[in-house]
Every structure is written in structure tokens, then in C-alpha cells.
Amino acid sequence: MTGKNQTVISEFLLLVLPIQLEQQDLIYVLFLVMYVTTVLGNLVLIILIRLDSHLHTPMYLLLSNLSFSDLCFSSVTMPTFLHNMQRQVPSIPYAACLTQLYFFLLFGDLESFLLVAMAYDRYVAICFPLHYTSIMSPRLCLSLVGLCWVLTTFHAMLHTLLMARVRFCGNNVIPHLFCDLSALLKLACSDTRVNELLIFITGGLLLVMPFLLIILSYARIVSSILKLPSARGIHKAFSTCGSHVSVVSLFYGTIIGVYLCPSNDNSIAKETVMFVMYMVVTPMLNPFIYSLRNRDMKGALGRVFFKKKIPFSV
Ligand SMILES: *[C@@H]1O[C@H](CO)[C@@H](O)[C@H](O)[C@H]1NC(C)=O
């Protein structure tokens, strides 16, 4: 032990949104409405898929998992954030901060892995339509979901346990709206080289790999359509992959946009935009992207909630 005066940090201070006092209520209501929409939209989607037996296909079961992940991802940060908006000094206790970090990593990764599983599902549906039911069996579907959970649990656990070893003293101001991995490391007063190395390695593997796998499955889909170009094939590909492509673009578009845009000036503005896109807009839009463009979803909505007889389209 060194003889230095070491205060142990029991809570962190978070960033205050750079908004004027008179706009505060308006912005608060806006965030609240978006969060409630996220929760309700995703819940309706999950309930719909559970209740309507027409939707018990791999594509919709995976979508239901994605909705669950969206719902949880948004709930990791939004309640604390909304609560903190009402206070002068937004703070978060140490334990809550680590918990938030764990679930943020867990559901963030889960989302990107589920997008890969969904891309694989579309790849099989378009490239091997005759063998689709035998390849994408309920068992494979369950294994894919299980694998996603195992990988993300491991990753989130690894970083959270490593973070629990890091010592904090002195500075406890996190220049972020939630407990972010790299922001926390910048405040550490013990050695964080192992943490940084592992972030680099797992970050590369867990962010770049899913993206490449998704690109790969879409490359195969496009090349299989180009081999046998027919109006029907192209229409089918568009109608079954359109929603997935939109969701993937939204998810990775945000990440790429955040990392590629220059960060030297107004980083608070950038941080806010990133937070809003990640935590609110993406999880909020996913269920709408899937249900608005999709005849099966609309049919299910009618069947489940209004007890109408709507034929199922194949
Ligand atoms: C997730 O997917 C699995 C496997 O298909 C399915 O059994 C399960 O019901 C899904 N979970 C949710 C919440 O939709």
C-alpha cells in the first residue's frame, strides 16, 4: 500500500444534457414518450408472435428475441437517464454503474448476434427455399439463440469482472450519459492495460465479425438472385429481406456514423446523438419496421386483437 490518501469512490457523476432549463420539460416528455413507445411496441410484437401460431416460424421467433433484446437494452439506461434528468446532479452508485455496464454489454451484443442469426435465416430461405424447413429446424433455431446468449453472457461477464478489479479514486465524473466501458477506464487509477487489450480483441471479434457475417450472407443472397433473375425472385427477396436490411442498416449505420465522424469538437453533442440513436431510436423503430411493411404481421394483429378472419399469406 502506498501512503497516499485514497478515497474509495462510491458513486459516479454523469453528464448533464446540455439543454436550457425552459426546454427541460419538453425534452423530458419527448424521451419519456419514446421510451414508452419502445416498451409498448416491442411488447406488442412479442405477444403477437407468441399468440399467433401462424407466426411460429424461425424468422418470427428470432424477431421476437430481437424485440426482447431491444426492450431490455433500452430499459438498461432509459429509466436511470429519465430519473437523472429530473435532478440537479445526475449520479449513479458504483454497484448500479457496474450492473448497467453488464446489461448494456449483454443486450448490445445480443442484438448484433441476433441480427446475424436472422441474416442466416434469410440466406437459407432465399438460397435453399426447398430445404428451408429442414435446415432451419426448431432445434437449430433454439441452438442459435442459445449460442447468442452464451457468447454475450461470457463477453459481458468478462468485462464487468475486469472492471470490478479496477480501482477508482479522485475523479468520479463520467463524461457520458450512462456508464460506458471506455469512459470508466479513463477514470481508473490502477493499471488498465489488460482491460484495454481485451476490449480491443473482443471488440474486434464481436463487432466486426457479426457485421462481416451479415454482409457475407447478403452477398450470397444477391448473387443467388442474380444467377436466376426473375421478377418473382427479386420481389420475394425484397419482401422477405427488406425489413432485416433496414434494421441492420439502422444498427450498424449508427455505430459507423459515431465512430467515423470527427470527435475533436463538441463531443457532448455527439455523445447525445449517439445515446439517442442507440438507446431510443433503434429499439423504438425495430418493431415498426417489421410490422408496418409486413402483411403477416398486420394479419396477425387483426387475428389476435380484433378476432378477424384474415387469410395468411405465404
Ligand atoms: C427466442 O427464440 C427461441 C428459439 O426459436 C424461442 O423458442 C423463444 O420463444 C424465443 N423467445 C422469445 C422471447 O421470443
Side-chain angles (χ1 to χ4, degrees):
M1 279 297 284
T2 54
K4 273 191 217 149
N5 178 17
Q6 292 195 334
T7 45
V8 176
I9 289 200
S10 63
E11 67 172 13
F12 294 100
L13 301 182
L14 295 169
L15 193 71
V16 191
L17 267 192
I19 44 176
Q20 255 102 56
L21 210 59
E22 52 268 30
Q23 295 170 342
Q24 193 123 24
D25 288 338
L26 182 70
I27 307 250
Y28 181 80
V29 171
L30 193 70
F31 274 114
L32 190 64
V33 168
M34 293 211 282
Y35 178 58
V36 171
T37 312
T38 307
V39 172
L40 288 183
N42 284 299
L43 263 185
V44 166
L45 199 74
I46 294 172
I47 293 172
L48 212 55
I49 292 174
R50 174 115 319 179
L51 291 186
D52 194 24
S53 56
H54 291 309
L55 299 182
H56 290 177
T57 60
M59 178 172 135
Y60 288 110
L61 288 176
L62 290 174
L63 175 61
S64 162
N65 277 279
L66 185 74
S67 265
F68 175 72
S69 170
D70 273 335
L71 183 65
C72 297
F73 190 54
S74 193
S75 302
V76 170
T77 49
M78 283 310 281
T80 338
F81 173 72
L82 287 170
H83 174 61
N84 276 338
M85 264 185 96
Q86 300 284 28
R87 304 197 300 172
Q88 296 300 314
V89 186
S91 66
I92 183 166
Y94 175 79
C97 192
L98 281 198
T99 313
Q100 194 177 57
L101 178 70
Y102 175 77
F103 286 107
F104 172 76
L105 290 172
L106 183 73
F107 292 114
D109 289 343
L110 192 60
E111 185 131 349
S112 83
F113 285 140
L114 284 172
L115 287 176
V116 178
M118 293 169 84
Y120 179 70
D121 169 69
R122 289 301 84 203
Y123 160 66
V124 176
I126 304 262
C127 297
F128 309 98
L130 298 181
H131 304 287
Y132 178 68
T133 31
S134 62
I135 298 178
M136 283 306 285
S137 60
R139 207 159 135 216
L140 178 71
C141 198
L142 202 61
S143 320
L144 283 177
V145 173
L147 184 67
C148 293
W149 274 99
V150 169
L151 285 175
T152 73
T153 306
F154 173 74
H155 181 233
M157 194 63 98
L158 176 75
H159 284 298
T160 312
L161 289 180
L162 278 174
M163 186 59 80
R165 289 178 60 240
V166 170
R167 242 191 13 249
F168 296 96
C169 47
N171 186 3
N172 69 340
V173 181
I174 303 177
H176 273 261
L177 295 166
F178 62 100
C179 285
D180 183 61
L181 190 59
S182 54
L184 271 174
L185 281 183
K186 287 199 191 105
L187 303 181
C189 34
S190 57
D191 185 16
T192 58
R193 267 174 301 177
V194 179
N195 301 54
E196 272 152 26
L197 184 68
L198 278 167
I199 289 177
F200 183 71
I201 296 171
T202 58
L205 281 177
L206 296 186
L207 255 161
V208 178
M209 281 294 278
F211 186 60
L212 291 182
L213 286 173
I214 291 172
I215 297 282
L216 184 72
S217 63
Y218 273 100
R220 303 286 289 268
I221 289 174
V222 168
S223 78
S224 102
I225 294 170
L226 290 182
K227 256 186 237 151
L228 276 172
S230 68
R232 213 170 147 254
I234 292 173
H235 175 76
K236 190 181 160 217
F238 267 113
S239 65
T240 61
C241 301
S243 309
H244 186 255
V245 173
S246 318
V247 171
V248 168
S249 320
L250 194 61
F251 186 76
Y252 284 100
T254 310
I255 299 180
I256 293 169
V258 164
Y259 284 103
L260 290 190
C261 88
S263 65
N264 40 14
D265 54 329
N266 55 15
S267 68
I268 293 185
K270 183 184 152 189
E271 163 71 25
T272 311
V273 170
M274 171 180 143
F275 178 82
V276 171
M277 283 302 289
Y278 245 146
M279 298 296 171
V280 200
V281 177
T282 313
M284 183 176 75
L285 287 185
N286 284 355
F288 294 101
I289 290 177
Y290 267 94
S291 22
L292 291 182
R293 304 190 59 256
N294 190 312
R295 232 181 314 154
D296 297 342
M297 289 307 294
K298 284 187 204 153
L301 203 63
R303 276 191 299 269
V304 170
F305 288 109
F306 307 107
K307 301 269 180 256
K308 273 195 203 145
K309 287 217 159 33
I310 296 168
F312 181 64
S313 74
V314 187

